Amino acid sequence: MTDAGRIPDDSGHVAVIGMAGRFPGARDTDEFWQNLAGGLDTITRDEARPLRTGDGGGTEGGPLHVPARGLLEHAEWFDAGYFGYSDEEALLLDPQARVFLECAVEALEHAGQDPDRCPGPVGVYGGSTDTAHLQTVLAHRERFAHVTDGDLLLGSAPEFLASRTAERLGLRGPATTVQSACATALVAVHLAVQGLLSGDCDLALAGGVAVHVPPKASGYSEDGILSADGVTRTFDARGDGTVASNGVGIVVLKRLRHALADGDRILAVIRGSAVTNDGSTRIGFTAPSVEGQSAAVRAAHLTAGVDAGTITYVEAHGTATPLGDPIEVTALTRAFREDTAERGYCAIGSVKSNIGHTDAAAGAAGLIKTILALEHAAIPPTLHFQEPNPQIDFASGPFRVATRNEPWQPRGGVRRAGVSAFGVGGANSHVVLEEAPAAPPTGPAQADQLLVLSAQTPAALAAAAARLAAHLRTVPEPVLADVAWTLQTGRREHPCRGYVVARGAGEAAAALDTLAAGAARAGHTGGGVPGNRPVVLLFPGTARPPGPGRQYRLAEPEYERAFAACLDALDALDPDLAAAVRAADPSEDAPDERDGSPDPAVRAVRTFAREYALARLWIRWGVRPAGVAGVGEGALVAAAVAEVLDLPGALCLAVARARATGSARQDALLALARTSVPRPPRIPLYSSQDGRWHDPSGPAPDADWWAREWTGDGPSDPQAAGLTTVPAPSGGADPVLLRPGPGPAAARGGREELLSGPLGGPKSESDAAASVLDALGRLWAAGAPVDWSGVHDGARRARVPLPGYPFERRPYVLLPSQGRPEAETPATGPHPGQERPAPGPADAAARREGDDDSTEGRTLALVLELFRQVLGMPEVDPEDSFFDLGGDSLIASRVLAEIRERLPVELTAKSLFAAPTAVEFAEFLDAELAGDDVRTPERQA
């Protein structure tokens, strides 16, 4: 076919702009790549044991198998409060749904997207696996007697995964749950791409999850797809299956042209995708088909408009089964041969050799691996490959197995890859990826930047600040304006808020450290400071508020434009005066406050222009004043901002007011007011003359009233003029009073007053800019909306990867029933808020470590010793849960391995979940040693 080249028409292409995932041995995608590039196998394996026979026993000298599984660290831990769940609701919710929720938040933050501020609908497409969580909940039905069966089903059924995510994250686009077995995640990606291209949504999350809590037993059988020795040898002659694994992966997608326009960080481009089914042309329901798989790959190539000869890597499904691998390579070869007869040019691999088979998340794991490979321009190795499966003819086909971490050499000038995922039942999915195009250049940026952070709790806010500080110290040459933009527009706004103003990454990191330590300014919209408080702009009309320091103009584009507009208007009124104002030194210390000119109009115009320009800057930044008030020249600034006067008219009055004195001033202003024809204020205007708000709905004052208002021989300080006690323009919450001036926030007359520079006080132009940004940070922290595009003056900014939200997780575990009385079965690991009854004196004496030399006493002593070692604790209470003390499934595997070394018992990880205290676990081991049948039943995979 004819290759369409590199994105000449991007209308049918979709950008991957963010992603998140947790896989065995990897808490995030960064660790995932480190493991892949380092060639790590992160499967957890037990010791080999005899294969069980039909009666549950093993055959001496018979075949062995190695129980193995891919485990997630702390899969049972969850931040219930972040998502608005109670502790009980969190217990009832399937753990994999909890993991998916947190992963969705992490993916959105990685993409720099706040769904609350997305202009169009946001969709979510995803699926999960069967975990039997509902059966576990029903085993504890008496504990949840007040919960209806319907509510239990809502928390456990996989069909509610997508809709629950949409409900908790406030997503209003399609919420589509996908169930296509092992192809689920990649089918979800295909559906999300179609939803974007058809206009169903403007942003989409897509992925899959498979997490079992407690970990599921391996369930090996000789005729299944699991490997006997717990090793996945994809494409290898010794390959006999894969390893069951846990994992979650989600990508964030947007139409490519929109991602480019919005300044999103593009990780890769999805050029095309396809989904087919094998139909009836196969030997059985679970058997794969060359025809169906080949059709999916070929359809994806055609949709993408690419020649297979330009695809230089394929991430295969690669289950390492003797039947599956040859069928997959045959199907791929057939599709590639439609375009090219070349041999051995395309690398092929499978992430299952590293992490096993993550079930419904398998397609997401392969997709994320390939996106990371494109980002790093490197192909990581496929592990455990030594000799090809004799049924695969690599020599005559286009593929070669990637066995080392190698540079990715493109063909045709661009790196392209294919990703496959196939599901039991005949689902075939394939995606064609291309490396990201070069990012367009960003616009100019101011030196000082405002970094904003928010969280659900003060502790999370401190953690977020510490994470960001550490990040800024490790990233080489971060563009602070892009960091600020990402924080300002790409993060949800939570109640607890903090901010820093900084010039450069080092200064920002130091300020964030202070914020994290709790010594910096931080506000919150809940509790003491109501959200969305009205803002009243105060204009003191003074050239220099009290205090030392020179006067500096702001190097902010909107401020400069508004200041220049004042002088341009003055050119038409009095060209000589305009020239004198331009010639005046704005930083000259003039004790007579005349800016070095004998004409008082020079000072008056400069004062008016400064305050007017600052008001226009605030409005450009999204501060919509609920009202304005002023004294002296500031009263005329207020009139201009409220559009009572046009700019030339206000300046004309300011000049006349400055040059006239006594009764002549009021006469001059009255004549000019009648000529200017004042209009009703468009923004409520407070008058110190009558102590009332004037707005468009009220009676319009006449010219005489306005002349008296602007004569302004009263005090110039807003507090002395009574402006710091103004009521809210339309009732409700007390307003925040914002006026030019140096210094921190102050509470005056019962009102919070923000002094926002730059009229006096700052030591430099930088200090002036920092003063205004500091006031903006305070406004945002108090809940005021901000137009962040205006803050950056519309300059093009880029979203950059930053640390995600610091979830405050706690463990939530329900254990399967063991057939023992309910009272003897721990219902949870730690149940938050629940205290364990204290043991009585007789119990304590009987169970104390080393009280006697009985078998029971020695077993308890051994368990306590192992708990102390692996948990790193000097002492462990026999009644404390292993998992309450900080243990998890990975640490538990170390305990079990030590027990097997010292005692002739057969254990699974489930044994410790079922008996988590030292006392209970010792009792379990003693029963095992005595031959009692208390063993936890194995659940088949």
Side-chain angles (χ1 to χ4, degrees):
M1 64 177 292
T2 301
D3 191 280
R6 178 158 189 168
I7 316 179
D9 174 15
D10 61 16
S11 60
H13 302 144
V14 168
V16 181
I17 62 171
M19 60 187 181
R22 294 171 62 187
F23 302 102
R27 292 168 295 182
D28 52 41
T29 56
D30 289 338
E31 289 187 359
F32 188 42
W33 175 253
Q34 291 171 9
N35 293 345
L36 294 171
L40 298 186
D41 179 328
T42 53
I43 295 297
T44 299
R45 298 177 178 87
D46 289 341
E47 291 184 355
R49 63 187 62 179
L51 183 63
R52 294 195 177 194
T53 58
D55 59 4
T59 303
E60 186 70 26
L64 300 176
H65 82 287
V66 176
R69 190 158 193 90
L71 302 174
L72 294 191
E73 182 179 1
H74 298 311
E76 68 275 16
W77 292 62
F78 178 57
D79 189 345
Y82 180 95
F83 297 97
Y85 284 117
S86 68
D87 288 339
E88 181 178 81
E89 289 171 326
L91 277 171
L92 294 175
L93 189 60
D94 189 336
Q96 67 180 343
R98 304 189 312 229
V99 171
F100 192 86
L101 276 171
E102 290 188 347
C103 190
V105 172
E106 291 167 341
L108 284 167
E109 292 200 334
H110 188 254
Q113 303 292 317
D114 175 6
D116 292 339
R117 287 181 277 179
C118 286
V122 180
V124 55
Y125 303 78
S128 56
T129 191
D130 176 28
T131 62
H133 180 68
L134 180 59
Q135 290 90 320
T136 301
V137 172
L138 292 176
H140 303 279
R141 192 67 179 90
E142 291 183 6
R143 178 178 179 180
F144 305 109
H146 59 289
V147 181
T148 67
D149 288 346
D151 285 338
L152 295 181
L153 184 65
L154 289 174
S156 303
E159 56 262 37
F160 300 115
L161 179 76
S163 55
R164 181 184 297 104
T165 303
E167 184 259 341
R168 290 291 146 168
L169 301 187
L171 313 182
R172 294 179 173 83
T176 304
T177 295
V178 181
Q179 295 298 150
S180 293
C182 316
T184 291
L186 209 60
V187 172
V189 170
H190 170 77
L191 293 176
V193 168
Q194 299 306 309
L196 287 165
L197 297 180
S198 66
D200 290 344
C201 54
D202 290 340
L203 187 74
L205 294 88
V209 61
V211 175
H212 297 264
V213 175
K216 186 178 180 181
S218 65
Y220 173 77
S221 63
E222 289 185 289
D223 57 351
I225 68 165
L226 298 184
S227 169
D229 63 357
V231 177
T232 303
R233 297 182 175 85
T234 305
F235 310 128
D236 192 86
R238 297 174 298 156
D240 64 343
T242 187
V243 176
S245 190
N246 290 344
V248 60
I250 298 176
V251 294
V252 182
L253 309 176
K254 183 186 280 190
R255 286 184 286 272
L256 176 60
R257 63 179 183 276
H258 292 167
L260 290 168
D262 295 344
D264 294 315
R265 186 174 72 109
I266 300 174
L267 310 179
V269 175
I270 297 178
R271 289 197 59 129
S273 63
V275 171
T276 66
N277 193 273
D278 291 333
S280 60
T281 59
R282 47 186 161 149
I283 60 175
F285 180 72
T286 61
S289 160
V290 170
E291 289 76 13
Q293 292 183 14
S294 177
V297 176
R298 182 58 180 168
H301 290 175
L302 293 172
T303 301
V306 301
D307 188 300
T310 65
I311 296 174
T312 46
Y313 178 70
V314 169
E315 173 64 23
H317 189 60
T319 56
T321 60
L323 175 65
D325 283 3
I327 286 179
E328 180 171 9
V329 175
T330 300
L332 283 166
T333 301
R334 180 179 296 183
F336 272 60
R337 285 295 181 246
E338 295 286 335
D339 293 327
T340 179
E342 293 191 62
R343 299 180 182 181
Y345 72 91
C346 181
I348 191 170
S350 175
V351 74
K352 292 179 180 63
S353 67
N354 303 88
I355 64 169
H357 193 335
T358 52
D359 199 347
L367 183 68
I368 289 172
K369 169 192 171 181
T370 309
I371 292 169
L372 290 167
L374 285 168
E375 277 196 284
H376 292 86
I379 298 174
T382 290
L383 308 183
H384 314 302
F385 180 82
Q386 295 180 358
E387 181 182 351
N389 183 317
Q391 301 302 314
I392 300 176
D393 184 9
F394 281 120
S396 63
F399 304 107
R400 59 177 179 82
V401 180
T403 57
R404 60 181 180 85
N405 192 28
E406 61 184 73
W408 189 338
Q409 303 298 335
R411 300 182 103 209
V414 59
R415 295 176 182 87
R416 288 177 180 157
V419 181
S420 292
F422 309 128
V424 171
N428 307 304
S429 56
H430 192 79
V431 169
V432 175
L433 290 175
E434 182 170 291
E435 64 183 332
T442 56
Q446 299 297 98
D448 294 282
Q449 294 296 326
L450 173 62
L451 310 186
V452 298
L453 299 98
S454 69
Q456 291 283 357
T457 67
L461 178 62
R467 282 186 178 186
L468 183 58
H471 174 81
L472 292 177
R473 289 189 173 99
T474 57
V475 174
E477 299 183 4
V479 179
L480 201 60
D482 291 341
V483 172
W485 174 252
T486 304
L487 293 170
Q488 292 158 357
T489 65
R491 293 290 187 271
R492 261 208 162 113
E493 295 179 319
H494 299 292
C496 295
R497 300 184 179 188
Y499 70 93
V500 300
V501 177
R503 171 177 289 209
E507 184 179 318
L512 287 164
D513 284 338
T514 305
L515 176 61
R521 46 202 177 271
H524 50 88
T525 58
V529 183
N532 294 320
R533 292 177 62 190
V535 176
V536 172
L537 298 182
L538 299 186
F539 303 103
T542 57
R544 182 183 293 105
R550 297 182 172 187
Q551 306 166 55
Y552 286 92
R553 285 167 56 175
L554 279 173
E556 288 286 345
E558 181 64 19
Y559 181 95
E560 294 286 5
R561 286 191 292 266
F563 196 97
C566 292
L567 298 186
D568 291 344
L570 190 61
D571 279 330
L573 300 173
D574 190 334
D576 293 337
L577 177 58
V581 173
R582 289 187 174 96
D585 181 2
S587 64
E588 179 179 321
D589 280 328
D592 60 359
E593 293 192 345
R594 295 180 182 175
D595 285 347
S597 170
D599 187 353
V602 172
R603 180 203 63 80
V605 170
R606 293 196 68 83
T607 298
F608 178 97
R610 292 187 188 110
E611 294 192 1
Y612 177 80
L614 193 57
R616 299 313 306 176
L617 178 65
W618 283 117
I619 293 171
R620 176 76 171 100
W621 286 0
V623 178
R624 299 290 179 255
V628 294
V631 292
E633 274 96 1
L636 289 167
V637 177
V641 173
E643 299 184 29
V644 172
L645 297 169
D646 60 18
L647 187 56
L651 282 165
C652 186
L653 285 162
V655 172
R657 183 185 183 283
R659 287 174 171 169
T661 59
S663 60
R665 172 180 287 181
Q666 185 163 341
D667 292 341
L669 293 181
L670 177 60
L672 288 172
R674 289 170 175 167
T675 304
S676 302
V677 189
R679 300 179 291 270
R682 298 283 296 273
I683 298 172
L685 184 148
Y686 184 80
S687 167
S688 57
Q689 179 182 177
D690 58 16
R692 296 175 49 236
W693 284 102
H694 296 266
D695 57 42
S697 62
D702 59 20
D704 291 353
W705 187 94
W706 285 114
R708 290 192 300 273
E709 180 74 10
W710 298 328
T711 299
D713 286 326
S716 61
D717 179 65
Q719 184 176 15
L723 298 186
T724 58
T725 58
V726 297
S730 56
D734 285 343
V736 175
L737 308 181
L738 186 63
R739 74 173 177 91
R748 298 185 179 180
R751 299 291 188 269
E752 183 182 13
E753 185 177 6
L754 299 182
L755 307 176
S756 62
L759 305 185
K763 300 176 181 178
S764 66
E765 188 174 286
S766 173
D767 284 351
S771 174
V772 177
L773 288 175
D774 183 85
L776 182 65
R778 292 184 183 278
L779 283 174
W780 175 82
V786 175
D787 180 353
W788 297 110
S789 177
V791 172
H792 294 271
D793 199 48
R796 180 184 179 85
R797 298 259 55 89
R799 290 183 171 88
V800 295
L802 298 174
Y805 187 87
F807 289 117
E808 298 175 281
R809 297 179 171 116
R810 299 170 65 187
Y812 295 90
V813 183
L814 279 175
L815 299 175
S817 171
Q818 296 189 44
R820 298 190 296 180
E822 176 72 15
E824 298 180 25
T825 304
T828 66
H831 177 41
Q834 181 184 32
E835 294 185 3
R836 186 184 302 278
D843 293 331
R847 295 179 175 181
R848 191 171 305 277
E849 176 185 1
D851 274 0
D852 56 59
D853 291 331
S854 65
T855 301
E856 291 80 3
R858 291 194 298 272
T859 305
L860 178 57
L862 171 62
V863 172
L864 286 169
E865 176 194 349
L866 293 177
F867 277 21
R868 286 194 297 264
Q869 288 179 0
V870 300
L871 295 173
M873 301 178 68
E875 293 296 332
V876 172
D877 191 306
E879 297 286 349
D880 282 347
S881 168
F882 176 84
F883 301 100
D884 280 352
L885 297 173
D888 57 33
S889 54
L890 295 178
I891 299 175
S893 65
R894 294 167 55 192
V895 174
L896 300 178
E898 286 290 335
I899 292 289
R900 294 190 197 100
E901 285 288 331
R902 304 191 191 194
L903 298 176
V905 292
E906 184 178 348
L907 301 172
T908 67
K910 194 181 302 178
S911 305
L912 189 51
F913 275 94
T917 71
V919 169
E920 292 168 337
F921 194 53
E923 290 175 349
F924 173 83
L925 293 174
D926 288 334
E928 284 281 287
L929 292 169
D932 295 341
D933 187 16
V934 296
R935 209 170 285 167
T936 301
E938 295 290 330
R939 281 166 46 200
Q940 298 302 309

